[in-house]
Amino acid sequence: MTELSGLQIFKHLPAAKKGEGTNCKKCGFPTCMAFALKLAKNQAGISLCEHASSELKEIFEYGMKKSQQEITIGNVKIGGENVLYRHDKTFINPTAIAIVVDTDKPNWQEKLERIKNFEITRINDTLKVDLIWAKGKHAETIQGMGVTVVCDEKLPLVEIKEDSFQKTAEKLVFTREKAVLEKDENYSTPVYVHLEHTEDLNDLCARAAYYICKYANMLMFEDFDEAMISTLMTLRQNIFTDPQKPLKVEAKVYEFNNPDENALVFLTTNFALTYFAVANELEALNTGSYLIVTPSDGMSVLTAWSAEKFTAQIVAKSVTTAGLAEKVKNKRIIIPGLLAHMQDELQEAIPDFEIVVGTNEAYLISDFIKAL
Ligand code: SF4
């Protein structure tokens, strides 16, 4: 992989210098420029041209080196990261959460049961513990949990011993920088931190949160606390989503508080943050409501409108598909206040409903409904 443009590559090929081999076609392409363009798109390999400069070959060899290996344990993928900051591209594999179950300790079955039953849903993901590290006399008996179980084996990862918080954090950052910035093979193995038992779960949670951000590929906990793991998994989900792909929810009609024929009807786009902001407010209303969520590639309302993903035609189709004209007496659709300029256009496209302009901010919905 290289970040060089076709023109930058071309400068290293014979045709740019009128050197030996110029446009000789031995690479399978009609000209050096054609080959350069293919290389830039990673659609050809540098080895096809025997005349390329040694400097160019070195650049490509370096580009082919992996920053960090990706290791698979059971069905858990760990590592494979190649950037320092999520917004540079994206992080690849979420920090795996592993829990130690020591079968020589009392109450290990109860702990195991809680791990097994632990499951939370955030946005569209169902999140569970990734891995169990089973120890002790009965370790081999822990199977069929729906979670990867590792029994007293040597992990194919490098442990960063948790010393003081500061030293551990520094080691994690140093290791990732070596792997990503220098592609140093001595630091290319994914790393984990083993967090010992503590009575202070807040402190444990704070340390673990930092290690998720920078740069543990796996965290192994002696303690299993549902609230703490939920917090960490929610943070992890935020860090490890691809910043180029907006989080979205399914475009459909959502119901709140058992809506009946007197229910209110709201409308918004399928951008996850918008949806959850509105959904929380609708849940808190003491009346039933429907929320029509339109397909908009996960864009917020104004972005969707400017990208023509929230047009009167798209909205009208969503309203018709929702089939609410027969379900509600109160034929009003409350649209986001930010789309007030579309009111007339929407009214024309959806003649069965009165289009009402709602609030700019979701937290104002409750007061808006009282005034309505
Ligand atoms: Fe140019 Fe090399 Fe291809 Fe020959 S083999 S055409 S020198 S790129």
Side-chain angles (χ1 to χ4, degrees), residues 13-15 20-33 35-36 48-52:
L13 295 175
E20 185 192 347
T22 294
N23 298 330
C24 69
K25 301 186 179 59
K26 283 186 186 161
C27 55
F29 297 95
T31 62
C32 294
M33 178 55 97
F35 180 62
L48 292 173
C49 174
E50 61 191 76
H51 305 292

Side-chain angles (χ1 to χ4, degrees), residues 27 56 59 65 81 92 126 135 138 140 151 170 173 186 215 275 278 297 305 361:
C27 55
L56 187 65
I59 291 171
K65 280 171 76 177
E81 305 300 335
I92 308 289
T126 302
K135 289 165 54 177
H138 306 290
E140 302 287 344
C151 297
E170 282 171 0
V173 171
N186 296 316
Y215 284 115
Y275 167 79
V278 175
D297 289 350
W305 169 74
E361 304 291 343

Side-chain angles (χ1 to χ4, degrees), residues 252-260 263-264 275 279 282-283 287-293 322 324 327:
K252 63 173 193 176
V253 181
Y254 292 83
E255 300 184 358
F256 300 91
N257 303 329
N258 303 315
D260 59 17
L264 298 161
Y275 167 79
L282 299 189
E283 262 170 23
T287 182
S289 59
Y290 292 103
L291 176 60
I292 302 171
V293 171
L324 294 180
K327 287 187 183 168

Side-chain angles (χ1 to χ4, degrees), residues 196-257:
E196 297 294 344
H197 167 68
T198 171
E199 295 298 321
D200 188 347
L201 287 180
N202 285 340
D203 181 69
L204 177 62
C205 188
R207 281 184 281 130
Y210 184 91
Y211 300 152
I212 286 175
C213 297
K214 292 186 170 205
Y215 284 115
N217 301 107
M218 184 173 93
L219 291 178
M220 186 183 289
F221 294 87
E222 290 288 336
D223 296 296
F224 177 67
D225 179 83
E226 287 87 342
M228 180 186 72
I229 297 296
S230 300
T231 305
L232 294 173
M233 284 186 171
T234 305
L235 168 76
R236 184 184 70 169
Q237 189 185 39
N238 280 290
I239 305 288
F240 282 85
T241 48
D242 186 341
Q244 294 166 68
K245 293 183 192 156
L247 284 175
K248 58 185 174 185
V249 296
E250 188 184 351
K252 63 173 193 176
V253 181
Y254 292 83
E255 300 184 358
F256 300 91
N257 303 329

